[in-house]
Amino acid sequence: VALKAVVFVFGVFAVLSRWVTDISGLVAGLGIGGLALALAAQDTASNLFGSIAIMVDKPFEIGDWVEFDGFAGTVVAVGLRSTKIRVIDQSILSVPNSKLAASIISNGALRGARRVAFHVGLVYATPPAVVAAFVEGVKTLLHEDPEVEPDSALVAFEKFSASSLDVFVAYRTHPDYAEMLRVREKINLAILNLAREMDVAMAFPSISLYQERPAKAEEGSGFAAD
């Protein structure tokens, strides 16, 4: 078969040589065209292999919320060349499968829970015993809430910030984003109520300025004129 193909190609060029004075330009043109086709085929092949990798590994399914390379949205379709993702502003993002297959993908639909973490800043005038009692009170709030994952609550007086005593609060709750926001709002309001009950003041960003008075000049320290 290969020999027949070689004979056919030489036969074509032999016939063309009778009609075309210089076939070197034709050969060069065919070479450039072949290179262009090869490059186009390479892109198509990479996307095809990317789609196969996505189908085999199944990092996501249609309807899943995914995050990758700074983008986030819901998968609406998976094709042979690209995957379509509806982003937050409801526009459709068409991502080549070769790029998507090579990216680190975070699939929110596979989360077992969502983690919430933040700091509560208390004013520096808060007595140490009150800080300790506030920390214990927040721990109790989290442990008694049925929507907070058991053994996930973490509360501690973490650090001295520039304008506050920072209490670190972390816990896990529902994987659904809207449900997480609802629980987070409930916990935040409970912490505010606890702070008011304990008369604990929350800090806000501030800067303290200290002005040093210049030393008074001693009497009779002037220089005598000649």
Side-chain angles (χ1 to χ4, degrees):
V1 177
L3 182 59
K4 290 182 179 179
V6 172
V7 172
F8 175 77
V9 171
F10 275 104
V12 170
F13 278 105
V15 173
L16 289 175
S17 63
R18 291 179 174 272
W19 296 338
V20 181
T21 305
D22 186 7
I23 65 170
S24 60
L26 177 61
V27 173
L30 290 174
I32 295 174
L35 179 60
L37 288 174
L39 291 175
Q42 182 182 8
D43 183 64
T44 302
S46 62
N47 285 323
L48 179 60
F49 282 118
S51 64
I52 294 173
I54 291 172
M55 292 176 185
V56 172
D57 292 340
K58 294 183 179 179
F60 52 79
E61 294 180 356
I62 294 176
D64 287 353
W65 175 271
V66 296
E67 298 178 17
F68 66 98
D69 294 346
F71 298 99
T74 303
V75 179
V76 295
V78 180
L80 292 178
R81 193 196 72 83
S82 64
T83 295
K84 291 179 172 54
I85 297 175
R86 188 181 301 279
V87 294
I88 296 177
D89 65 358
Q90 297 301 302
S91 61
I92 296 295
L93 189 69
S94 183
V95 186
N97 287 332
S98 58
K99 177 178 177 60
L100 198 58
S103 300
I104 297 176
I105 302 172
S106 173
N107 189 337
L110 299 180
R111 282 193 182 103
R114 279 186 182 267
R115 186 172 185 264
V116 178
F118 57 93
H119 287 91
V120 178
L122 308 181
V123 297
Y124 262 92
T126 307
V130 176
V131 175
F134 179 76
V135 169
E136 291 302 318
V138 176
K139 286 181 181 178
T140 302
L141 283 175
L142 296 179
H143 289 150
E144 293 181 350
D145 194 306
E147 294 186 289
V148 172
E149 194 173 273
D151 301 325
S152 71
L154 181 60
V155 186
F157 171 35
E158 184 182 32
K159 61 182 178 179
F160 299 89
S161 289
S163 57
S164 63
L165 305 173
D166 284 356
V167 176
F168 177 72
V169 181
Y171 58 90
R172 291 195 300 271
T173 184
H174 300 288
D176 182 74
Y177 186 73
E179 286 296 300
M180 180 275 293
L181 287 180
R182 181 184 60 79
V183 174
R184 182 171 185 169
E185 179 184 45
K186 179 179 65 173
I187 297 295
N188 288 349
L189 290 173
I191 291 174
L192 280 177
N193 288 330
L194 176 66
R196 291 192 176 185
E197 291 173 2
M198 299 182 63
D199 198 22
V200 173
M202 301 219 176
F204 54 89
S206 60
I207 300 176
S208 298
L209 298 177
Y210 298 92
Q211 184 176 1
E212 184 178 355
R213 293 182 179 180
K216 293 183 179 180
E218 296 182 2
E219 294 183 0
S221 61
F223 293 100
D226 292 337

